[in-house]
Amino acid sequence: MVTEIKNGAATVYGKNGALHVEGTCLVNKNGEPVQLKGVSTHNVNSFPQYVNDDAIEFMADNWGMELFRIAMYTALADGDYGYADGTDEHRAELEEMIVRSVKKCAELGIYCMIDWHILFDYNPNMHKDMALKFFDKISVVLKDYGNVIYEICNEPNEDCTWEEIKSYAEEVIPVIRKNVPESVIVCGTPKWSQDVDIASKDPLKFKNVLYALHFYASTHKQSLRDKASEALANGIAVYVTEYGICDASGNGAIDYDEVDRWLAFLKKNCISYSIWNLSNKDETSAMIAPSCNKTTGWNKEDLSECGRWFTELNK
Ligand code: IDC
């Protein structure tokens, strides 16, 4: 089902197979720690053109992309409806996009993350019924794809508490696990997925779960790494499903020194990470230059500063 060899060499999936969590680490089929280098789309309602087979293949072959994260906003954002507040027709298109992408990633031997991207809907319980239906439906269709990671709520925020997130997760996780018992699942944490320390004091009672930690290097620094260290010391596994090298608005200046500190921290703790974002929006975090309309096959000149940094990044 998933390609293990491509062009004569083992793919990232071929080397690692279906993943699971041991202690604070995401590990491969042999129990060895893995650290996946991922790329996150922007909101796929707004930038669907980048979710195409050629682009996925291009990034896997040329950018060292090992995981493709599909950021599916659930509620209205930037003028575009999300999965939960859009139409049935729109939902069907998004589901088709996800299934197609997972299959393409499988064919390339890379991983794919399905991100239920709550943001303006700051409490996952707001669209819980829709989430339960979505994850049930999609996990049945994708049950034989061991390269899928489920991210059940991107960034709870405002006054949403860990107790509220936990109760949501306790309903959503069993729905996925009924269809895919060994699935790897990432759960968001309070305050835009920063309060992993709070989650670690009252963790979920499921195996193969990681907790989302999001950082934007010009905004989030040592104090956020301290929270992550506390969470790890308390025994939970952390996944940086999204990060930026600029500030938390997705724009502003790049802080390379802080980025280096973060990457060293992630490496030391074997934490996987996906960069925000694959689009040509006129903002620092977008990897494609605003003037470039190509949707695959980008040259160096087609990329923004962030895009060039990422494509030259070696683990
Ligand atoms: C930002 C986008 C920006 C968009 C905004 C609202 O970069 O173009 O206008 O969302 O849709 C997050 C979120 C992610 C944000 C990103 C940067 O998960 O959706 O994207 N960010 O602000 N958390 C922290 C930062």
Side-chain angles (χ1 to χ4, degrees), residues 14 16 35 73 287 297:
N16 297 298
Q35 190 190 22
Y73 276 52
M287 288 195 284

Side-chain angles (χ1 to χ4, degrees), residues 52-182:
N52 71 76
D53 284 6
D54 284 350
I56 297 173
E57 185 154 2
F58 182 84
M59 293 186 286
D61 287 350
N62 298 282
W63 294 6
M65 178 179 77
E66 297 170 326
L67 174 139
F68 182 58
R69 177 184 190 243
I70 302 171
M72 183 177 75
Y73 276 52
T74 46
L76 182 70
D78 307 309
D80 291 304
Y81 286 97
Y83 180 94
D85 61 11
T87 60
D88 283 343
E89 192 186 354
H90 183 49
R91 277 189 274 281
E93 281 167 18
L94 290 165
E95 288 159 13
E96 187 274 325
M97 172 191 280
I98 290 170
V99 172
R100 172 170 53 76
S101 303
V102 167
K103 290 185 175 170
K104 184 65 194 177
C105 289
E107 191 189 308
L108 296 165
I110 64 169
Y111 297 88
C112 191
M113 183 175 279
I114 302 173
D115 162 30
W116 183 257
H117 200 94
I118 67 161
L119 187 63
F120 297 101
D121 44 344
Y122 56 88
N123 184 323
N125 294 296
M126 285 178 175
H127 292 303
K128 185 184 71 187
D129 291 347
M130 200 58 101
L132 291 169
K133 275 193 213 144
F134 168 75
F135 282 112
D136 191 18
K137 198 170 174 188
I138 210 82
S139 60
V140 168
V141 177
L142 298 174
K143 67 180 170 28
D144 295 325
Y145 289 86
N147 64 327
V148 177
I149 297 180
Y150 295 91
E151 185 177 13
I152 59 174
C153 52
N154 169 52
E155 289 186 354
N157 60 81
E158 302 290 349
D159 60 0
C160 182
T161 63
W162 172 241
E163 288 67 36
E164 289 169 312
I165 302 166
K166 199 176 175 198
S167 96
Y168 165 84
E170 282 166 349
E171 288 194 58
V172 174
I173 293 175
V175 163
I176 302 173
R177 290 284 163 79
K178 168 173 64 76
N179 303 323
V180 201
E182 302 303 323

